Amino acid sequence: MIDKEEVKETIVDVAREIFSKFGFKKTTMHEIANAQGKGKSSIYYYFASKEKIFQAVVEKEATILNQELLKATSDADSPTMKLKMHVIVRMHAVGKLANYYSAIKDDYLSHLDFVEKIRKKSDQEEIQMMENILKEGVETGIFDINDTSLAAIAIVTALKGMEVPLFWRGKEKNIDRRLDNLLHILFNGVMTR
């Protein structure tokens, strides 16, 4: 017997690659079906539209990002390393998750109902992760932050601001150098002491 969830997962995996290559606008159900070795009607049996497939793809990539961030920070042994790993893993992962990144950044996709929900959920989850790291750092005396909530928002906003120059100009060769500079500013500030 065919497991419906397994088939849907396979369709999502194939569609991830196609959407990554051609983008949402240029990808067709026909291309997804061909890559799957099925007819379009078979794909429509599992997903009502291209938008529904894209939603499943973006949700999967959002989950991947969340899992990678949680793993990276749980493996770290101090708030400093957690913050560093969050920044590094996030920036490298976002570069590999083209569909997720497209959904949260491309205005032409904002007409899709699910995009704004994913954007909000993603922002809230990341800000909460960052705030947890900062609170732990304050509690252990490593960080000196008056408002961890505001600081978390500021850091996540800074990371989002770096995404475009890091990933949309082609293959950036100095990603790690730029991230090191950002981390230096996060840890040391900009004022002389």
Side-chain angles (χ1 to χ4, degrees):
M1 178 150 211
I2 296 174
D3 183 352
K4 187 175 179 176
E5 289 307 310
E6 279 182 34
V7 174
K8 285 177 81 168
E9 189 67 25
T10 303
I11 293 169
V12 168
D13 289 339
V14 168
R16 270 184 76 195
E17 290 181 37
I18 296 170
F19 284 126
S20 291
K21 243 184 240 180
F22 303 113
F24 175 77
K25 277 185 182 179
K26 293 182 181 177
T27 298
T28 66
M29 289 293 273
H30 181 75
E31 289 167 328
I32 295 170
N34 276 349
Q36 190 69 25
K38 297 182 181 294
K40 278 196 320 187
S41 61
S42 296
I43 302 299
Y44 280 114
Y45 175 78
Y46 296 99
F47 293 95
S49 65
K50 178 173 84 166
E51 289 81 6
K52 291 293 184 190
I53 296 175
F54 189 66
Q55 179 177 354
V57 165
V58 172
E59 287 172 349
K60 179 174 184 161
E61 289 188 0
T63 299
I64 290 169
L65 176 60
N66 199 6
Q67 289 170 344
E68 286 188 23
L69 289 173
L70 289 172
K71 182 178 181 339
T73 56
S74 69
D75 289 347
D77 59 357
S78 70
T80 304
M81 280 306 296
K82 287 179 183 186
L83 180 56
K84 183 176 183 174
M85 293 310 299
H86 181 98
V87 170
I88 291 169
V89 168
R90 179 199 191 280
M91 297 309 275
H92 284 285
V94 167
K96 294 184 292 187
L97 302 172
N99 301 300
Y100 167 79
Y101 189 70
S102 179
I104 62 171
K105 288 295 178 195
D106 293 345
D107 286 337
Y108 76 87
L109 293 174
S110 62
H111 73 283
L112 300 173
D113 293 337
F114 68 90
V115 168
E116 190 57 33
K117 290 177 188 168
I118 290 174
R119 285 177 184 167
K120 280 184 178 178
K121 183 176 186 247
S122 173
D123 285 350
Q124 289 169 346
E125 287 174 350
E126 185 170 12
I127 289 167
Q128 187 59 59
M129 277 186 227
M130 184 60 65
E131 187 172 2
N132 291 342
I133 294 168
L134 298 178
K135 280 181 179 176
E136 182 183 344
V138 168
E139 289 167 4
T140 57
I142 295 171
F143 300 151
D144 181 18
I145 302 169
N146 293 329
D147 186 337
T148 55
S149 178
L150 189 58
I153 292 168
I155 293 169
V156 170
T157 301
L159 293 175
K160 286 174 179 270
M162 287 186 66
E163 291 169 354
V164 172
L166 283 178
F167 299 112
W168 280 21
R169 289 188 187 156
K171 296 292 179 192
E172 175 65 52
K173 293 180 176 127
N174 295 318
I175 292 174
D176 290 326
R177 187 174 63 88
R178 287 186 182 197
L179 293 177
D180 285 342
N181 286 334
L182 173 66
L183 289 165
H184 178 77
I185 292 168
L186 279 174
F187 291 129
N188 303 305
V190 294
M191 298 184 67
T192 57
R193 297 173 198 254

